[in-house]
Every structure is written in structure tokens, then in C-alpha cells.
Amino acid sequence: DVKVTQSSRYLVKRTGEKVFLECVQDMDHENMFWYRQDPGLGLRLIYFSYDVKMKEKGDIPEGYSVSREKKERFSLILESASTNQTSMYLCASIRWAATDTQYFGPGTRLTVL
Amino acid sequence: GDSVTQMEGPVTLSEEAFLTINCTYTATGYPSLFWYVQYPGEGLQLLLKATKADDKGSNKGFEATYRKETTSFHLEKGSVQVSDSAVYFCALRGFNNAGNMLTFGGGTRLMVKP
């Protein structure tokens, strides 16, 4: 089975801190995604990556950056966390051009105080 | 651009009741359609999918039929259980979307009471 893991299930940070969220997949997938999930808004795409060192902005990239130095790992970075970034963050991956669907990690619930 | 609209929750039902969660979409061409489920404290899991018009996806007693004429993909289950309590997301993948990006609806929380 495909496994997508995220570094933390729960995280509490203070305003202005730099935050790293890590995601690792074990199935050699090319495409990886970061979403945030908020009640009533569903999942919104922050960034995605087609390959190592490749990144593309999603619908809501402001305040975030990403890093993909290795194929299996995709990191989301909050350069200076703010309270409006309190949310559930979900990572997903899929093979390029697959007819299958995305596989999701368990999520990281981030609270910024 | 592509969009997905699903009924707002929460939906509260008694055990063994019939469930319908409405989902409609806007997209060019022929998208693939999905229902995902998120159980408390977990990530999203694929529940079912349909890739062309009139296809019916089914899994765990849930069904949804891809209706191109009404641009809908409503989720149904004949008899819900307490264990079905979760958040359900409708999603689409646009036609010829090699990047495999998904567009999600807002999610519908289902609560089933014993």
C-alpha cells in the first residue's frame, strides 16, 4: 500500500516563528501536493511539485514556500507564521499522469498563537 | 475554472436512514469525479470514483452516478451506520489534467446517531 506520512499530527507555534511541515511518500511518486483544510472551504491547494526541485503555486501560495530536494520528501515552510495560518494541512502524492487518484497523509493540525 | 459545489452540513441522520449528499460540478470537457471520506482524526481516503458519463462508482454500500446532463455526482447510501460518521468531500480531476490536480468541494459532515 502507498504510504504518505507527515512529520507531526499536532503542532503549536507562536506568531512570527518559522514552521516546517514535512511529508514523505514511499511509492516513488513524481507529484506531491500541499493543501490546507478549513471548515466550509474544503481543501485548497497551496503548492505542488512535479519533480525534484520543481514547484508550482496553487490557489493560495501567499505566506508559504516549499522545498523538494528529494523525490520522496516535500516540505511546506511558513516563513513567519500568523494566526490566520491556523489550519489542518494535508499532503498528497500521485504518480505522474496516473489514472489513479491522490493518496493523502493523515494531516497536521497547526495552531498559531 | 473548475469548481465543485456540495451541500453544506452537518447532516444528521438516525442509524439505518437513507443518505443523499448532493454534489454538482463545473468543468470543461469530461472530468473524472471522486468522493473522499475523512474519518475523525485521519486524512482523506478515496471512497469511490467514476471516470465517464453514466459510470456508477460504489464502495462500502455507497454509490454515486456520473450524470453529465445535470453535472452531478450525488452520493447515496441505503442504510447508514454510526461508523459512517465522517466528513465527505466531492472532487473532480479535469480532463487531460496530466498534473493530476484535484478540485474539492467544501465538504459535508455526516453525523449518524444510534
Side-chain angles (χ1 to χ4, degrees):
Chain A
D1 280 350
V2 174
K3 194 167 184 181
V4 181
T5 57
Q6 296 183 226
S7 51
S8 304
R9 293 300 299 272
Y10 300 94
L11 211 51
V12 179
K13 295 292 182 181
R14 296 204 175 276
T15 301
E17 281 192 78
K18 191 169 186 176
V19 182
F20 292 87
L21 303 182
E22 292 205 320
C23 174
V24 178
Q25 49 92 6
D26 65 359
M27 284 301 290
D28 202 36
H29 285 171
E30 292 84 3
N31 294 3
M32 296 187 74
F33 306 82
W34 274 107
Y35 297 91
R36 65 176 282 175
Q37 179 186 357
D38 299 290
L41 297 177
L43 274 70
R44 293 178 292 168
L45 183 64
I46 305 172
Y47 268 97
F48 60 100
S49 170
Y50 291 131
D51 203 347
V52 174
K53 298 193 185 296
M54 302 285 288
K55 60 184 179 182
E56 297 285 341
K57 293 180 179 179
D59 299 319
I60 52 164
E62 295 78 18
Y64 303 94
S65 62
V66 291
S67 172
R68 185 127 182 242
E69 296 297 319
K70 293 185 178 181
K71 191 174 186 179
E72 67 271 18
R73 189 180 299 269
F74 191 35
S75 300
L76 180 69
I77 303 156
L78 287 66
E79 295 289 342
S80 177
S82 63
T83 54
N84 63 12
Q85 292 178 309
T86 292
S87 187
M88 170 72 89
Y89 290 88
L90 292 166
C91 175
S93 73
I94 190 172
R95 194 173 305 282
W96 174 264
T99 56
D100 202 346
T101 188
Q102 294 181 12
Y103 293 88
F104 284 83
T108 296
R109 184 164 294 283
L110 172 67
T111 301
V112 183
L113 302 175
Chain B
D2 297 345
S3 67
V4 176
T5 302
Q6 59 183 106
M7 59 191 290
E8 290 189 22
V11 173
T12 304
L13 296 173
S14 297
E15 208 164 21
E16 299 184 2
F18 184 85
L19 169 71
T20 300
I21 300 178
N22 290 338
C23 171
T24 56
Y25 68 89
T26 302
T28 55
Y30 302 91
S32 296
L33 301 173
F34 306 87
W35 276 102
Y36 281 84
V37 58
Q38 183 181 34
Y39 297 105
E42 297 183 14
L44 274 68
Q45 303 174 25
L46 178 65
L47 180 60
L48 54 85
K49 66 180 181 181
T51 57
K52 60 183 187 297
D54 300 325
D55 266 3
K56 178 185 282 188
S58 61
N59 186 26
K60 298 182 181 180
F62 291 89
E63 293 183 341
T65 301
Y66 188 148
R67 302 283 188 201
K68 184 148 183 71
E69 64 276 13
T70 55
T71 62
S72 65
F73 193 54
H74 304 322
L75 183 68
E76 296 181 337
K77 186 175 186 182
S79 176
V80 294
Q81 306 300 312
V82 172
S83 57
D84 294 327
S85 297
V87 181
Y88 293 81
F89 292 93
C90 186
L92 71 81
R93 181 175 64 217
F95 179 68
N96 201 28
N97 179 354
N100 278 310
M101 284 182 285
L102 296 172
T103 300
F104 287 88
T108 302
R109 181 176 298 278
L110 170 66
M111 300 170 61
V112 181
K113 296 184 175 181

